Amino acid sequence: GIQVEQSPPDLILQEGANSTLRCNFSDSVNNLQWFHQNPWGQLINLFYIPSGTKQNGRLSATTVATERYSLLYISSSQTTDSGVYFCAVGRNTGFQKLVFGTGTRLLVSP
Amino acid sequence: GAGVSQSPSNKVTEKGKDVELRCDPISGHTALYWYRQSLGQGLEFLIYFQGNSAPDKSGLPSDRFSAERTGGSVSTLTIQRTQQEDSAVYLCASSDVVYSAYNEQFFGPGTRLTVL
């Protein structure tokens, strides 16, 4: 099956710093989502981005489908950005399961 | 509208007991998914429903696990004769997809299951 790798596994930042999280996947995909798992375990949708670039406030994401990777950019990080960031991909169109990466654990200190 | 809801939020049970976990998807969403998050295995797919049918049960770890969905809405995941390795957070997701390429999945808060 498809493999999803995320890097770095852990990241510690000072408040205000910028960061880039990477997601590599082993095969072509029709679905790619980025999630933030907050300290209470809730998965929050950040981006649905099987290709192209999107921005939402301080966050932006780019997926280069032909090269099988996606990047999540966090600018001017805040302590509330702390948590685990997951990339998940799906190969099919329509109904499909997501395959998750192992996540990047981010800690933003004041 | 309301998001995906799950109940109970926490469940502690004794080894060998049966448990039922409930998921209420976002109203109108045709697809419903169950995933499991455990320390050793990360986030893994269990089963999905297309309406009330389950075309893909490939992720169910054993025949002690079953799920059903009624009325194209609520789903129940049942684990029989629970084992300690079943301890995990069980997550439900739903999506609004009708044979199109778009399939953004939205997750509920999860049920944390602890088997003693």
Side-chain angles (χ1 to χ4, degrees):
Chain A
I2 193 167
Q3 304 296 314
V4 183
E5 294 181 354
Q6 291 186 242
S7 60
D10 296 280
L11 188 57
I12 301 175
L13 299 175
Q14 286 281 339
E15 202 168 22
N18 303 328
S19 61
T20 301
L21 282 59
R22 186 176 180 103
C23 171
N24 292 333
F25 42 96
S26 61
D27 209 335
S28 59
V29 299
N30 281 294
N31 182 356
L32 190 146
Q33 292 185 240
W34 281 98
F35 297 93
H36 175 214
Q37 188 166 44
N38 65 22
W40 296 270
Q42 175 77 55
L43 282 170
I44 308 296
N45 288 42
L46 297 177
F47 294 101
Y48 174 84
I49 187 165
S51 64
T53 297
K54 291 186 178 179
Q55 180 158 7
N56 185 2
R58 296 182 296 103
L59 303 182
S60 63
T62 295
T63 297
V64 183
T66 53
E67 297 187 20
R68 300 179 185 169
Y69 73 89
S70 183
L71 302 174
L72 177 69
Y73 305 97
I74 305 174
S75 65
S76 304
S77 57
Q78 300 176 357
T79 56
T80 52
D81 295 332
S82 296
V84 183
Y85 290 79
F86 287 102
C87 167
V89 303
R91 290 210 59 202
N92 303 318
T93 58
F95 300 95
Q96 61 184 280
K97 65 183 180 185
L98 290 176
V99 177
F100 282 79
T102 51
T104 292
R105 185 175 301 274
L106 174 65
L107 176 63
V108 181
S109 57
Chain B
V4 178
S5 62
Q6 294 185 245
S7 61
S9 54
N10 281 285
K11 176 72 176 179
V12 180
T13 190
E14 293 180 349
K15 177 181 173 180
K17 301 282 189 183
D18 297 352
V19 296
E20 285 189 353
L21 312 179
R22 177 187 169 106
C23 172
D24 278 280
I26 293 172
S27 178
H29 277 192
T30 52
L32 186 148
Y33 307 80
W34 285 98
Y35 295 83
R36 178 169 75 170
Q37 186 173 25
S38 56
L39 281 177
Q41 301 297 323
L43 268 152
E44 55 181 347
F45 167 82
L46 297 178
I47 186 172
Y48 89 79
F49 288 89
Q50 178 178 324
N52 291 335
S53 65
D56 189 350
K57 304 179 183 180
S58 63
L60 293 178
S62 77
D63 58 8
R64 296 185 295 103
F65 287 70
S66 63
E68 66 175 10
R69 188 180 185 194
T70 55
S73 180
V74 172
S75 176
T76 302
L77 178 69
T78 301
I79 309 173
Q80 296 179 307
R81 305 182 302 282
T82 52
Q83 303 295 311
Q84 288 181 331
E85 62 262 29
D86 300 334
S87 296
V89 177
Y90 289 82
L91 293 162
C92 177
S94 70
S95 66
D96 179 15
V97 54
V98 185
Y99 302 104
S100 71
Y102 175 76
N103 182 21
E104 184 173 8
Q105 296 184 24
F106 297 87
F107 282 77
T111 293
R112 181 175 298 277
L113 175 66
T114 303
V115 182
L116 301 177

